[in-house]
Amino acid sequence: MTEMALEVKGLNKTYPQWRKESVEALRDVSFDLSKGEVMGLLGPNGAGKTTAIKCVCGLILPDTGSVRFFGEEVKDRVARYVSAVLEGNRNIYWRLSTRENLEFFAGLQGLSPSSVREDIVSLLKTFKLEEKENVPARKLSRGMQQKLALGCALIRDTPLLLLDEPTLGLDVETSLELRNYIKELVRDGDKTILLSSHDMNVVEDVCDRVVIINHGRVVADDTVKGLKDIFKVQAYEIGLQGRWNELRDVLPEHYNIDIRDSHTVINCQLKDSKEFYRLVDLFKERRIEIDHVKTKEPNFEEIFVKLLDGDRR
Amino acid sequence: MKDLYVFLAVLKKYYIELKRYAFNTVMMMGGIYILFALIFLGMQSFNATPETLESTIVGFALWIFAILGFSELSWSILEEARNGTLEQLYISPVSFGRISGYRVLASFMVNLLLMSAFLMAMMVGTGHYLNLDPGVLLLVFLTLLSVYGIGYMMGGLALIFKKVQATLSIFQFLFIVLLMIPAALDSAIIYVLPVSWGSVLINDVMVRGTPFLELPLNSVMILLLNSLAYFAVGYLVFGYLEKIAKQKGLLGHY
C-alpha cells in the first residue's frame, strides 16, 4: 500500500472582517499526497492556496479539519516533517552569507554543525553557489537567493517540502534550472513535494498530480495526464484545402478559423460526434476538401482556465 | 540536544550580525556615551552628591541594558516579519517562544560584554568607581527578566498589530521612569513595579558597597518573585496573542 505523506481533510477557514462580510478562505478542502509524489496546488490569486499551505505548516490555525503527516495528526511542531519556502527569496537572512544561512537553518532544525558539514558542501555544489558561499545573501542575484532559500529548506532534511511560488520572478534559464533541481530531488531521494505556482509550465513539467483550488474549494484533483485526457477528446484541429473565408459566417463564433497561404485551419471544441459529422456534411455540401483532422493536445493553461470557468458557472 | 543546537545557532547569528555591523554598533555605543556624558555633566553642574552621580551611572547602564533586551523581543519580531523570515522561525521543532528566549539569552550574553566595557568607560570617564561584586550579575539578570516579560507582551502585540513602533518607543522611556521611581517615591509600590526594586538592590551593592551576600534574603526573594511573575505573565500573554495571530493568519504579514 502507498504510504501517505500528507493527508489534509476538511479544512475550513473563515477570516472575520471588521464591519464587512467574512472571507471564506477555505471551504472543506481535502487532498492527500503519497510519499515521493510532487503535487501542484493551483488557483487564481486569492483562491486559498497560500492559506492551505500555511495551514499545513501550522502557521495558520484552521477553524475545522485536520492535517496528518505520515499518518500522525500534528497541530504544532510540524518541522519534524515539513520545511518550506514560502515567499521565494524573502525566506533567508540578507545580512548572513550563503554558508551562514545554511548553517543557521540547520541549527534551527536542531541539527549539530558537524552533522551537516558535508550536506552544506554538497548543497553549495548542487546549487552552484560555491563561489558565493561567503557573500552576504543581499548581494546575490534573485535566482541565487531563491536557490539559497530552497537550500535552506533542504538542509533541514525533512521528508516533506512545501514550495510556494518557487520560480516567481525568475528568468527562464534559472526557472528551468530550479525545475530540474526539484525533479532531481524526487528522483534521487524520498522527498515529497507540495508546490504552488502560477506558472503552468512549472506545474506541467514537475508535478505528478494537480489540485486546483478556486474560491476556497477544490475544483479538480487529478494527475496532469488525467486532466489533459478529459479535455483531449474535445479539441480538434481540422485542416482544409483552399482558403475558405466565408466559413466565418457559417460556423459558430468559438471556432477559430485561420486562413493561411493555400489552406484553412480550424481549431474547435466539439460537444460530441454528431457535431463533428454535421461539420463534415457542411464541408461536403460546399465541396471543401479536408486535408487533415487532428485531436489537439490541450494546453495546460487552457485546462486551468476552463476548470475555473466551469466553476464560475 | 536540539535546544542546545538551536541556541548555538541563534547565538552565532547574533554575534555575526553584531560583528558584521561593527561600525553601527560602535557608533551606537558612542552616541549613547555622549548622551550619558551630557546627562552626567548636567547633574554635576547642579551639584549632585557623589551617591546621586554614581546612581546615575548605574541607572543609565541598566536602562541601556534593558532597552537592548527589550528590543530583542519586540523590535526583532517586526524586523523578521518585514523581512519574511518570521514564518521560518515558526517552522522549527523548537517553539518560537523558546527560540525568542534563546535570542534573549544570546543578547544578554553578548550585551553583557558590551555593557561591561561601557560601564568601565563610564567609570573611567567620570572618575567614579563602583563596587563590582560578581553577585550584581544575578541581580541584573533578575531585574532584566521583568523587562523580558514586558518584551514578550509587546512582541505578541507586534505579531498582531505590526505597527507598534510608537508604543515600543514609549516603553523605552517608561523604563527611565521605573528606574527613577525608587529615588522619588518611598512606597511599597516599588516591590510590584518591574525594574524598580531590582535597581534599588543593584544600587545598594554597586553604589553603597553592600556585599551581595549581605543583602537581606527577603529582598532578593521579592526581586525573584517580581521578575518571575512579569516574565511568566509576559510569556503567557505572548502565547495567547500568538494563537490569535495564527487564527487570523497574521504571522508574517507586514
Side-chain angles (χ1 to χ4, degrees):
Chain A
M1 210 178 102
T2 322
E3 191 183 357
M4 283 298 165
L6 174 68
E7 292 166 88
V8 173
K9 279 203 172 65
L11 286 189
N12 282 291
K13 182 72 201 170
T14 302
Y15 295 116
Q17 304 277 307
W18 177 250
R19 289 185 178 176
K20 276 192 251 171
E21 210 177 312
S22 303
V23 176
E24 275 190 280
L26 297 178
R27 290 189 278 171
D28 198 26
V29 168
S30 300
F31 56 83
D32 46 44
L33 196 51
S34 307
K35 193 180 166 190
E37 200 176 21
V38 185
M39 195 179 87
L41 198 57
L42 286 179
N45 287 336
K49 301 183 302 280
T50 302
T51 302
I53 283 188
K54 287 190 176 179
C55 282
V56 172
C57 291
L59 297 171
I60 291 178
L61 296 175
D63 299 333
T64 56
S66 66
V67 178
R68 295 171 81 90
F69 299 100
F70 297 91
E72 188 191 345
E73 186 166 347
V74 184
K75 287 192 173 163
D76 221 342
R77 317 276 180 278
V78 298
R80 267 183 299 156
Y81 300 107
V82 175
S83 51
V85 180
L86 293 172
E87 290 179 76
N89 63 342
R90 289 189 70 228
N91 279 187
I92 47 175
Y93 287 94
W94 289 39
R95 291 175 192 169
L96 299 186
S97 72
T98 304
R99 175 179 278 277
E100 286 160 356
N101 263 293
L102 291 166
E103 285 171 350
F104 175 74
F105 282 101
L108 200 61
Q109 189 71 7
L111 301 170
S112 74
S114 59
S115 72
V116 293
R117 204 160 288 142
E118 280 177 27
D119 295 337
I120 288 176
V121 173
S122 158
L123 278 171
L124 288 170
K125 196 175 166 193
T126 308
F127 289 116
K128 295 177 190 146
L129 289 169
E130 292 148 301
E131 286 177 17
K132 304 283 180 185
E133 69 170 304
N134 296 316
V135 175
R138 70 190 150 83
K139 290 189 177 169
L140 299 175
S141 67
R142 188 181 174 116
M144 284 177 181
Q145 286 169 348
Q146 290 201 206
K147 283 196 269 185
L148 175 58
L150 182 58
C152 289
L154 290 174
I155 197 71
R156 294 175 166 219
D157 196 26
T158 55
L160 187 60
L161 191 60
L162 307 184
L163 305 174
D164 194 9
E165 299 286 359
T167 57
L168 188 72
L170 296 184
D171 57 51
V172 180
E173 198 185 340
T174 318
S175 171
L176 267 172
E177 207 183 329
L178 215 57
R179 274 192 243 174
N180 289 333
Y181 290 140
I182 295 169
K183 283 196 268 188
E184 272 173 38
L185 275 175
V186 180
R187 200 175 53 225
D188 299 344
D190 53 356
K191 289 262 185 278
T192 305
I193 298 177
L194 176 61
L195 176 150
S196 109
S197 180
H198 273 94
D199 189 339
M200 301 297 152
N201 291 326
V202 173
V203 175
E204 194 173 354
D205 187 23
V206 171
C207 299
D208 306 308
R209 254 178 67 224
V210 179
V211 166
I212 298 178
I213 294 186
N214 194 26
H215 301 303
R217 286 185 306 114
V218 173
V219 293
D221 180 351
D222 205 340
T223 59
V224 173
K225 188 179 174 301
L227 284 173
K228 278 185 162 182
D229 284 348
I230 293 170
F231 289 88
K232 191 177 187 175
V233 288
Q234 298 170 354
Y236 290 90
E237 181 188 293
I238 304 169
L240 307 173
Q241 287 188 3
R243 295 164 62 88
W244 298 99
N245 202 23
E246 61 266 37
L247 285 177
R248 290 185 201 277
D249 303 327
V250 188
L251 295 175
E253 265 182 27
H254 66 269
Y255 280 45
N256 185 345
I257 301 168
D258 187 12
I259 311 284
R260 295 178 188 171
D261 294 343
S262 60
H263 59 283
T264 305
V265 177
I266 301 170
N267 281 294
C268 56
Q269 304 258 333
L270 302 178
K271 275 186 223 140
D272 47 32
S273 54
K274 278 183 196 161
E275 193 177 351
F276 180 74
Y277 291 125
R278 270 201 300 274
L279 204 57
V280 172
D281 289 344
L282 177 83
F283 296 149
K284 251 190 211 171
E285 243 172 60
R286 294 175 179 250
R287 295 168 187 250
I288 299 172
E289 226 173 287
I290 298 173
D291 182 59
H292 66 266
V293 177
K294 282 188 206 164
T295 53
K296 208 181 137 204
E297 180 81 359
N299 174 315
F300 196 66
E301 201 163 327
E302 285 168 9
I303 293 173
F304 177 68
V305 172
K306 271 180 205 309
L307 279 164
L308 295 186
D309 212 29
D311 185 51
R312 266 192 286 276
R313 278 191 222 126
Chain B
M1 283 304 266
K2 263 197 171 79
D3 280 66
L4 175 68
Y5 293 131
V6 174
F7 171 66
L8 289 176
V10 167
L11 180 65
K12 190 175 173 189
K13 177 176 165 287
Y14 194 85
Y15 172 71
I16 290 170
E17 289 184 335
L18 204 70
K19 204 174 77 174
R20 191 146 297 154
Y21 292 86
F23 179 75
N24 182 47
T25 311
V26 169
M27 288 303 283
M28 178 186 79
M29 296 313 279
I32 291 170
Y33 194 83
I34 291 169
L35 177 66
F36 164 74
L38 291 173
I39 293 171
F40 191 86
L41 290 172
M43 293 198 66
Q44 238 178 359
S45 68
F46 281 106
N47 296 324
T49 61
E51 192 178 315
T52 309
L53 290 173
E54 283 167 12
S55 291
T56 306
I57 298 174
V58 171
F60 193 83
L62 206 53
W63 179 55
I64 299 300
F65 213 154
I67 288 176
L68 291 173
F70 177 73
S71 305
E72 196 44 45
L73 279 163
S74 47
W75 288 103
S76 67
I77 286 180
L78 293 178
E79 198 189 333
E80 298 266 5
R82 194 166 43 223
N83 295 345
T85 45
L86 185 66
E87 289 168 326
Q88 288 296 327
L89 297 180
Y90 271 90
I91 309 173
S92 166
V94 176
S95 73
F96 181 74
R98 254 158 62 205
I99 292 174
S100 298
Y102 295 147
R103 288 161 69 135
V104 163
L105 198 58
S107 83
F108 181 80
M109 287 164 71
V110 175
N111 290 335
L112 189 64
L113 296 175
L114 270 179
M115 289 311 297
S116 300
F118 189 67
L119 190 65
M120 285 299 167
M122 287 200 289
M123 288 195 295
V124 171
T126 58
H128 288 264
Y129 291 89
L130 304 163
N131 175 30
L132 298 175
D133 188 312
V136 165
L137 280 181
L138 180 67
L139 293 177
V140 169
F141 182 74
L142 288 178
T143 305
L144 292 183
L145 210 54
S146 58
V147 174
Y148 297 145
I150 298 167
Y152 265 115
M153 279 186 229
M154 296 311 294
L157 289 175
L159 280 180
I160 294 177
F161 297 107
K162 304 298 187 284
K163 291 269 181 194
V164 291
Q165 287 90 333
T167 318
L168 296 182
S169 303
I170 290 169
F171 259 90
Q172 292 180 359
F173 291 103
L174 205 65
F175 288 133
I176 301 179
V177 177
L178 290 167
L179 286 164
M180 287 169 67
I181 279 179
L185 204 69
D186 187 17
S187 158
I189 198 166
I190 58 171
Y191 297 134
V192 290
L193 288 173
V195 182
S196 300
W197 183 240
S199 81
V200 171
L201 295 185
I202 292 168
N203 268 293
D204 273 351
V205 176
M206 293 185 84
V207 178
R208 282 167 217 113
T210 312
F212 170 71
L213 292 174
E214 285 179 23
L215 285 175
L217 185 63
N218 57 354
S219 293
V220 180
M221 287 308 287
I222 289 171
L223 176 63
L224 180 71
L225 290 174
N226 172 302
S227 296
L228 284 179
Y230 274 102
F231 188 79
V233 170
Y235 196 80
L236 289 173
V237 170
F238 176 81
Y240 175 71
L241 295 172
E242 182 186 52
K243 196 176 168 189
I244 292 176
K246 281 186 177 184
Q247 278 168 344
K248 294 192 169 198
L250 295 172
L251 287 184
H253 279 219
Y254 189 83

